[in-house]
C-alpha cells in the first residue's frame, strides 16, 4: 500500500475558530498535515499552519487580540449601519499583512487550499498551488473570510489577467472545504485510498429546532445559516462516502450563537478543549483507524 497522505480540513465559523486554534495544541508540535484546507476563519488557521507557524503560536494569536482586530467594532450601532455590512476590513487587512506579508499562495510550505466565492462569476474561487497561486496569501484569506453582512465584498485583481473580481466568504459554497482538499490531492495524483482526512466542524452542529417564518423578511436571519450549514453538511457527506473509514469529522458540543459574539469565546474554547484529541491523533497515525467520528 502507498503511504497515506493526511488532509486537515477546517470549516468556517468566525469567532468559533478560537476553539479549533486551541484544540490543535493537543497535537505534537512536530506533526503537520500533508495538505491543509480552510474556509473563512478556517482559511486563517490553515494558512498559518501552511507557513509553519507552531500550533501554540496560532492559539496565542487567537487568545490575544487577533479576533478583535478582525471584528473591529463599527462606529455605528450594530445592525444600523447604512453600509450593508457590520465591520469594515481595515484592521483585518493590517493583521493579515502582518502575518503573511507578501507571501503568495504558492509560497506556502504545505500545499494549501482556500475556498472563496466569486460574486462576479457566480462560482467558487479556489486558491491552490496550481490554481490562482499567484495571489497574495493575505488576499486569498481576506476573500475567504469576507462573510455577507459581516464584511464588505473583497475586490481583487487577478494577477494573470489584471481583471478585478468581487469575492467573498467561501462559506457560501464550501463552508466545509474537505471536498476541495480531496480534489486538489486527486489532481496531484494521490489515490482516493491513500487520502485520510480529519475535518474540523469549527462551530459544531446546532441543536434541532422548529422554524416557522411567516414572511419573506423573517427568512433573512436564517439565510446565512442555511447556506453555510447546508453546504457544509453536504460536503462532509460526500467526503465520508468517498473516503469511508479514512474520513473523520470532529463536531464538538458547544453553544450556538452569532459568529461575532465575543461573550461566547470562553465557552467555545472550553467546549473544544473538552474534546479528547487522542482518537483523532490515532486516526491520523493508525492503520486502520480506530474511529471515524468524534464529538
Amino acid at each position: 500500500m502507498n503511504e497515506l497522505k493526511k488532509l486537515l480540513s477546517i470549516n468556517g465559523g468566525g469567532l468559533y475558530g478560537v476553539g479549533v486554534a486551541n484544540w490543535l495544541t493537543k497535537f505534537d508540535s512536530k506533526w503537520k498535515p500533508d495538505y491543509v484546507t480552510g474556509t473563512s476563519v478556517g482559511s486563517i488557521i490553515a494558512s498559518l499552519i501552511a507557513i509553519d507557524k507552531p500550533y501554540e503560536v496560532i492559539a496565542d494569536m487567537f487568545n490575544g487580540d487577533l479576533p478583535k482586530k478582525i471584528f473591529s467594532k463599527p462606529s455605528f450601532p450594530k445592525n444600523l449601519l447604512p453600509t450593508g455590512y457590520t465591520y469594515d476590513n481595515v484592521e483585518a487587512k493590517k493583521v493579515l499583512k502582518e502575518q503573511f506579508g507578501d507571501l503568495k499562495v504558492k509560497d506556502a510550505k504545505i500545499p494549501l487550499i482556500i475556498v472563496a466565492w466569486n460574486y462576479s462569476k457566480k462560482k467558487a474561487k479556489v486558491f491552490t498551488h496550481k490554481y490562482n497561486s499567484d495571489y497574495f496569501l493575505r488576499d486569498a484569506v481576506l476573500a475567504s473570510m469576507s462573510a455577507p453582512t459581516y464584511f464588505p465584498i473583497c475586490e481583487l485583481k487577478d494577477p494573470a489577467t489584471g481583471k478585478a473580481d468581487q469575492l467573498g466568504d467561501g462559506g457560501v459554497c464550501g463552508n466545509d472545504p474537505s471536498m476541495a482538499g480531496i480534489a486538489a490531492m486527486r489532481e496531484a495524483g494521490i489515490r482516493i485510498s491513500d487520502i485520510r482526512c480529519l475535518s474540523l466542524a469549527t462551530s459544531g452542529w446546532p441543536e434541532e429546532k422548529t422554524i416557522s417564518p411567516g414572511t419573506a423578511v423573517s427568512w433573512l436571519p436564517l439565510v446565512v445559516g442555511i447556506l453555510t450549514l447546508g453546504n457544509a453538511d453536504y460536503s462532509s457527506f460526500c467526503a465520508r462516502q468517498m473516503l469511508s473509514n479514512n474520513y473523520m469529522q470532529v463536531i464538538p458540543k458547544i453553544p450556538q450563537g452569532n459568529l461575532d459574539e465575543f461573550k461566547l469565546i470562553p465557552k467555545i474554547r472550553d467546549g473544544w478543549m473538552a474534546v479528547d484529541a487522542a482518537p483523532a491523533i490515532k486516526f491520523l497515525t493508525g492503520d486502520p483507524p480506530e474511529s471515524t467520528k468524534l464529538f
Side-chain angles (χ1 to χ4, degrees):
M1 186 181 76
N2 294 338
E3 180 184 358
L4 286 170
K5 297 295 184 181
K6 315 298 171 45
L7 168 65
L8 178 63
S9 175
I10 309 173
N11 287 20
L15 292 177
Y16 284 82
V18 173
V20 170
N22 280 272
W23 187 75
L24 286 171
T25 62
K26 295 188 176 190
F27 284 62
D28 188 313
S29 60
K30 295 180 181 179
W31 182 84
K32 298 293 180 182
D34 297 298
Y35 283 73
V36 59
T37 181
T39 294
S40 198
V41 70
S43 76
I44 302 176
I45 300 171
S47 296
L48 290 169
I49 293 171
I51 65 171
D52 213 23
K53 290 281 187 182
Y55 300 124
E56 291 79 8
V57 171
I58 297 172
D60 286 344
M61 291 168 57
F62 275 82
N63 292 331
D65 58 3
L66 184 144
K68 288 186 177 180
K69 285 184 177 180
I70 291 176
F71 289 100
S72 54
K73 287 298 180 184
S75 55
F76 286 86
K78 185 179 174 183
N79 298 328
L80 293 180
L81 289 171
T83 57
Y85 54 83
T86 303
Y87 305 97
D88 63 33
N89 56 21
V90 174
E91 290 301 316
K93 287 180 178 178
K94 289 180 182 178
V95 74
L96 294 177
K97 173 73 171 178
E98 289 172 3
Q99 295 304 319
F100 302 116
D102 291 332
L103 290 174
K104 296 182 178 180
V105 174
K106 65 184 179 184
D107 296 327
K109 295 181 179 180
I110 297 172
L112 172 67
I113 303 96
I114 294 174
V115 180
W117 176 252
N118 190 326
Y119 289 106
S120 304
K121 297 178 180 177
K122 298 180 177 64
K123 60 188 294 185
K125 179 90 170 182
V126 183
F127 302 86
T128 73
H129 272 55
K130 182 174 182 178
Y131 298 106
N132 303 309
S133 62
D134 283 325
Y135 279 84
F136 286 123
L137 181 53
R138 64 176 188 264
D139 287 341
V141 172
L142 181 67
S144 185
M145 57 162 273
S146 295
T149 75
Y150 287 95
F151 296 103
I153 289 173
C154 177
E155 293 196 359
L156 297 180
K157 283 188 177 181
D158 188 321
T161 65
K163 183 180 178 180
D165 281 324
Q166 291 186 308
L167 305 177
D169 185 16
V172 172
C173 57
N175 203 48
D176 176 346
S178 299
M179 289 299 294
I182 292 169
M185 295 174 77
R186 286 290 296 121
E187 189 166 41
I190 302 171
R191 301 187 308 180
I192 283 290
S193 58
D194 295 329
I195 298 173
R196 184 164 290 180
C197 174
L198 177 65
S199 174
L200 306 183
T202 306
S203 55
W205 199 257
E207 296 179 357
E208 292 184 17
K209 67 177 182 178
T210 300
I211 63 170
S212 55
T215 66
V217 173
S218 58
W219 272 100
L220 294 180
L222 305 173
V223 169
V224 173
I226 291 170
L227 287 173
T228 57
L229 293 175
N231 71 58
D233 190 47
Y234 179 69
S235 178
S236 63
F237 170 80
C238 292
R240 183 179 297 282
Q241 295 303 110
M242 291 179 70
L243 300 186
S244 188
N245 288 340
N246 277 338
Y247 178 84
M248 172 186 273
Q249 186 176 44
V250 183
I251 308 178
K253 295 180 179 179
I254 48 181
Q256 296 299 302
N258 293 328
L259 304 184
D260 59 347
E261 282 192 57
F262 280 86
K263 66 182 181 181
L264 291 179
I265 285 181
K267 292 182 179 179
I268 292 169
R269 186 188 297 115
D270 291 347
W272 266 96
M273 294 306 286
V275 177
D276 183 7
I281 293 169
K282 288 182 179 180
F283 168 79
L284 291 168
T285 58
D287 188 23
E290 294 186 1
S291 60
T292 58
K293 201 142 188 174
L294 187 59
F295 294 90

